[in-house]
Every structure is written in structure tokens, then in C-alpha cells.
Amino acid sequence: MDRSALVRLDDVPATAAPVRMDLYGPIHKALRAFMFDTVARLGRCDAGDPAELADTVARARGLLHIMRGHLTHENGFVHPAIEARRPGGSAITGEDHEEHERAIAALDGALDLLEAIDDARRPATLHRTYLRFARFVAENLEHMEVEETHNTALLHAAYDDAELMDIHDRLLASIPPAELMTDLRWIVIGVSHPERVGILTDMRAKAPPPAFAAVIDMCRDVLSPNDWGKLANALGLPAGAGLVEVW
Ligand SMILES: [Fe+2]
């Protein structure tokens, strides 16, 4: 399909206009962080160290699980929203999704092979797996940019922010808890401090207190001391131990 008419931001100057509700932004930052981390781990993995290999393969499978889930969420909520008011608008990224489903299945197979292969051929198999994951990441980087520019422009023209927030909240409610916690872990790692504060403030208002407390515990585990201190300060939380007692 011809992509020349897609909205891209390359030559559009940034403005100071109020930021619109962005369905793609935080989760795509999360996926980029998770994909980069996985490729880097595959690149430095010692094929002769069984424990390190098993850990790397498990993390790579975790990424594929999250990527598969992400396709389901976009196919189930975002593309139908585009199609409802801009028929045909999601065609390009819809085609990409079909390709990504096949790519994910192929990468799962590559990990199966990596685990099953004999010791002599494992280093070369690991390197091929690394390159295949890197290509998958490259394809996803292109795809996500189309979603964050072209698809987002369609959504912003067709919906107001309250409607987009309703789509966002319904999508979020559909995600199984374990998958959601993994998504949130990488969102927290991938977004900026102001975005982190906005997301957690929204979550504090909507999520049950124990669920919010678990996310805050996770934040303390994954953030740098500086980022955690800034977050705790912005949310009015004690930065030290005993945090859960606040709730
Ligand atoms: Fe997508």
C-alpha cells in the first residue's frame, strides 16, 4: 500500500498547543524500551552459559507475549475506533499487524530452535536469533511511528479527549492483571518524569488502593534513585521504606 500520503512529523515544527490525549504514546515508549532491552540482552548473551541463556530466552518470550497482547488491544479497541469514524483509516497498520503476528510466531520458533540446538551450533544460532529480533524491532519502530503520527491525527480529528480517555480505560480494563503489570513496568521505565506523574495520578484516582500500592512498589524497584525520589516527591509519598503503610 502507498504510504506517501501518511502524516509524518518530520517537517512540522513543534507547537505550544495543549497536549491531546495520546492513546499510543506511553505504551509505545514502553514497547521500545522492552524491545531495546531484549535485543541488547540477546546481543551480549553468552551461549555457553545455560542459566544466562535461559534467562535471556525467557525475557525474549516475555517480550513476544507482550507484543502479541498489544496487537490484540489495538485490533480490539483502537482500530475499530478509527474505522467507526474514518472508514479505511486503519488499513495500513492493520496490514502491518497481520505481518507482525506471523513475525512473532516465527520468533517464538527461533527461540525453540535456540533451546533445542546442540552446543556446537548454539553460538551461531543465538547470533541469528539476535539479528531476527533486531529486524523485528526495526519493523516495529517504523510501524509505531505511523500509528503515533497518521493514526493519532485521525483519532484527534474524529474524537475529543474525553472519548479517547473512555477508549483508553476500556482497553486497560480488558488486559489481564499479570500482563498489565508487565506493561506498566515498561511504561514506568520508558516514559519521562512528567508523563510518569500524570499516569500514576490518573491511576491513583481510578485503581483500587492495593493495586496502586503494588504499582508504586514496582516503581521503587525499577526506577533510578533520582527518578524514584522525584516521583515520590511529586505524588507526596515517603521516598524511603514502609511505603505500603501509607495506604
Ligand atoms: Fe500497532
Side-chain angles (χ1 to χ4, degrees):
M1 181 171 286
D2 178 18
R3 297 182 177 227
S4 61
L6 291 176
V7 174
R8 308 306 277 265
L9 300 182
D10 304 39
D11 302 316
V12 180
T15 72
V19 176
R20 294 284 314 273
M21 172 70 195
D22 184 358
L23 286 179
Y24 289 111
I27 188 62
H28 280 186
K29 281 192 170 182
L31 296 180
R32 289 186 184 98
F34 197 0
M35 288 192 287
F36 297 159
D37 180 72
T38 303
V39 170
R41 286 177 185 276
L42 284 164
R44 65 175 178 264
C45 181
D46 176 0
D49 182 331
E52 189 176 317
L53 184 73
D55 179 65
T56 304
V57 168
R59 289 173 187 271
R61 288 202 196 279
L63 171 69
L64 297 180
H65 177 68
I66 289 299
M67 297 301 294
R68 199 177 272 122
H70 181 64
L71 287 178
T72 304
H73 309 146
E74 288 186 346
N75 289 342
F77 293 90
V78 184
H79 283 186
I82 294 172
E83 291 302 316
R85 297 191 182 177
R86 295 292 186 273
S90 70
I92 291 175
T93 49
E95 285 178 12
D96 288 349
H97 284 186
E98 291 175 14
E99 282 178 30
H100 290 169
E101 282 179 25
R102 290 191 286 273
I104 290 168
L107 290 176
D108 247 333
L111 294 173
D112 291 341
L113 177 66
L114 179 59
E115 289 180 313
I117 200 84
D118 56 83
D119 290 352
R121 287 184 289 176
R122 185 165 293 123
T125 305
L126 174 57
H127 189 65
R128 290 165 69 102
T129 307
Y130 162 71
L131 292 177
R132 291 179 69 170
F133 268 79
R135 180 171 9 120
F136 175 70
V137 171
E139 289 163 359
N140 271 276
L141 293 178
E142 291 277 354
H143 166 78
M144 291 194 299
E145 194 205 349
V146 174
E147 291 179 326
E148 288 183 61
T149 55
H150 180 75
N151 286 11
T152 294
L154 294 179
L155 287 164
H156 284 174
Y159 291 90
D160 64 29
D161 281 357
E163 291 174 312
L164 293 176
M165 183 58 89
D166 180 62
I167 295 167
H168 168 268
D169 288 352
R170 286 189 288 112
L171 187 162
L172 212 66
S174 77
I175 304 177
E179 182 184 340
L180 182 59
M181 194 52 124
T182 304
D183 285 339
L184 286 169
R185 170 190 165 85
W186 287 102
I187 286 173
V188 164
I189 290 170
V191 302
S192 68
H193 169 70
E195 291 169 329
R196 212 175 280 136
V197 172
I199 290 164
L200 289 165
T201 300
D202 181 61
M203 185 177 300
R204 190 185 226 172
K206 295 174 179 171
F212 181 68
V215 172
I216 291 297
D217 277 350
M218 178 271 290
C219 290
R220 192 174 37 190
D221 286 344
V222 303
L223 291 175
S224 69
N226 183 54
D227 282 342
W228 164 247
K230 285 171 66 173
L231 180 66
N233 190 41
L235 296 178
L237 307 173
L243 183 64
V244 175
E245 292 169 13
V246 170
W247 298 278

